Amino acid sequence: MNKKALIFVSSLFMASFVLLFFSKPFVFSYDVRIIVPVLVAMIVAQYIEIPIGGIRFTAKPFLYIFLIPFISPETILVLSLITSTINKNVSWDRKLLRLSFEFLQISVGTFLFKRSVFDYLSLIYFAIGFFATNVLLSFVYVYFFTRTKLKNYIIVALIVFVLGLYASLIVTTIYLLPEVKFSYLVFTLLLYAGFLVQLYYTVTAQVWYQQLKYEQDEIRREIENLSKIPDVLEKIGSEDVDRIMNDLLEVACKLIGFSAALLNLFDYKSGRVIRVSKYGIKDEDFEMLRSKQPQIKDTLLLMQSRFDLGVNYAKLNFCFECEIA
């Protein structure tokens, strides 16, 4: 984590402590019968991801909303910080960032929760504070720490805020019922569970739709590129060999998904690699490559499997190697 990110995280922790100071008294639930199931539920929830607008969120915030009527927000804060540190799939830099986000979000929610005059509004206040802070922090982080455009996250952030507020309204029905009964609790639980199931399957279906649309676009592009091959083959009789080779490399790159290609010939008589044609490479760079003819043995060394970068290999120039006997 660089100095800029460390200052940002530290400022979030300090702001959280200030808000908790003004949210006194600090109330923590000590009932083991409640704490243990909540800990287990939080651990499970942080591994359940909900994809919204291309961004993946854990189910923990929606679990917090349901737990508020039963345990204090301060208890949720402590248990949330504990469970966040045991996620093995996340690096410590990312964990620290998530901890600072959750710390401030729950602190703001707790501050507003205790400012509510009516019980049935306290949960709504908590949800507004929690999700509004999430939106604000996401915008700040995206703008100052990433290279992506902020406008790509606006709609997603608003959707998450509306979903969080709607979830709090569902759970708030427990405060509006005439009396405390187990049947009313079960009714609220089923209502909220139905909302979460519907949410999960709706966004999952949307992801499936986006994947299907992406595959359809890929197939359409492949058909368009394959349709160019007959035109390229018709030019074989012409004298512009360089143009033909460039067109073939272009079609190959678009089919495979690479942005650049370099066609080499292995001249085993001289032991050198001859640069023949290129696509997606600047002319001056290609001329420099052509002027320097490396030895075949050095090139074959770089083609060994230990230099294969797997999924990141698509970011490198792809080479078609031909041999001259």
Side-chain angles (χ1 to χ4, degrees):
M1 181 175 290
N2 56 37
K3 184 178 179 180
K4 182 180 178 182
L6 190 59
I7 294 175
F8 175 65
V9 170
S10 301
S11 63
L12 296 186
F13 278 114
M14 288 189 293
S16 302
F17 283 119
V18 171
L19 286 170
L20 288 177
F21 176 80
F22 287 104
S23 302
K24 296 186 299 185
F26 190 90
V27 180
F28 185 80
S29 302
Y30 294 96
D31 193 341
V32 179
R33 295 172 299 178
I34 297 178
I35 292 178
V36 173
V38 169
L39 274 173
V40 174
M42 285 187 180
I43 293 174
V44 174
Q46 72 182 4
Y47 288 99
I48 300 176
E49 294 184 338
I50 303 176
I52 301 177
I55 304 175
R56 309 186 77 86
F57 299 87
T58 65
K60 288 180 72 175
F62 295 101
L63 177 63
Y64 302 156
I65 296 299
F66 181 76
L67 294 174
I68 286 294
F70 308 102
I71 59 176
S72 64
E74 298 93 324
T75 307
I76 291 177
L77 173 61
V78 174
L79 299 181
S80 174
L81 297 181
I82 293 174
T83 55
S84 296
T85 58
I86 63 177
N87 192 341
K88 297 181 179 180
N89 297 332
V90 182
S91 64
W92 274 105
D93 288 349
R94 182 63 61 177
K95 284 182 182 179
L96 189 60
L97 182 64
R98 287 186 177 182
L99 283 173
S100 63
F101 270 50
E102 287 202 9
F103 201 173
L104 184 58
Q105 290 171 207
I106 300 178
S107 298
V108 174
T110 302
F111 179 79
L112 295 180
F113 177 89
K114 295 194 174 184
R115 293 298 178 274
S116 174
V117 179
F118 305 101
D119 290 340
Y120 61 87
L121 292 178
S122 58
L123 178 56
I124 299 176
Y125 281 13
F126 177 88
I128 292 175
F130 183 94
F131 288 100
T133 305
N134 176 264
V135 172
L136 179 61
L137 291 179
S138 299
F139 286 169
V140 172
Y141 182 78
V142 169
Y143 184 79
F144 289 103
F145 295 94
T146 66
R147 297 180 179 179
T148 55
K149 295 181 179 179
L150 184 61
K151 64 179 182 180
N152 297 337
Y153 293 86
I154 294 178
I155 296 179
V156 178
L158 293 177
I159 291 175
V160 174
F161 177 80
V162 171
L163 289 173
L165 183 59
Y166 185 73
S168 67
L169 292 174
I170 294 177
V171 181
T172 301
T173 56
I174 198 172
Y175 292 105
L176 303 179
L177 297 173
E179 56 183 317
V180 179
K181 285 186 177 181
F182 181 74
S183 58
Y184 293 156
L185 176 62
V186 173
F187 169 76
T188 306
L189 174 62
L190 293 177
L191 188 65
Y192 193 66
F195 161 73
L196 293 180
V197 171
Q198 182 65 32
L199 171 63
Y200 180 80
Y201 280 102
T202 299
V203 297
T204 303
Q206 181 66 20
V207 171
W208 290 342
Y209 171 75
Q210 293 296 335
Q211 291 177 346
L212 178 61
K213 186 177 179 181
Y214 174 78
E215 291 176 358
Q216 289 176 339
D217 293 338
E218 284 291 310
I219 293 174
R220 187 186 70 253
R221 284 194 293 268
E222 289 183 5
I223 293 175
E224 291 177 355
N225 292 323
L226 287 173
S227 64
K228 297 178 182 178
I229 293 180
D231 296 334
V232 176
L233 295 177
E234 289 179 0
K235 299 177 183 178
I236 292 180
S238 65
E239 297 180 357
D240 193 357
V241 179
D242 290 338
R243 181 60 184 172
I244 295 174
M245 299 303 298
N246 183 270
D247 291 342
L248 286 173
L249 290 177
E250 180 183 0
V251 173
C253 278
K254 290 183 177 180
L255 283 174
I256 302 173
F258 295 118
S259 59
L262 180 63
L263 180 61
N264 299 322
L265 290 179
F266 284 6
D267 187 355
Y268 283 99
K269 292 181 180 181
S270 63
R272 296 288 179 175
V273 177
I274 303 174
R275 314 298 188 181
V276 178
S277 184
K278 52 84 179 178
Y279 169 74
I281 301 175
K282 295 181 180 179
D283 292 336
E284 55 269 25
D285 295 336
F286 179 66
E287 291 301 325
M288 182 185 66
L289 291 171
R290 177 180 285 180
S291 62
K292 298 179 180 179
Q293 297 181 353
Q295 294 186 0
I296 295 177
K297 61 179 182 179
D298 296 332
T299 303
L300 293 176
L301 178 66
L302 296 175
M303 295 173 63
Q304 294 179 3
S305 59
R306 58 195 176 104
F307 295 108
D308 186 1
L309 300 182
V311 294
N312 294 327
Y313 191 73
K315 298 178 181 178
L316 303 178
N317 292 340
F318 185 78
C319 296
F320 293 96
E321 304 292 352
C322 300
E323 299 181 2
I324 297 179

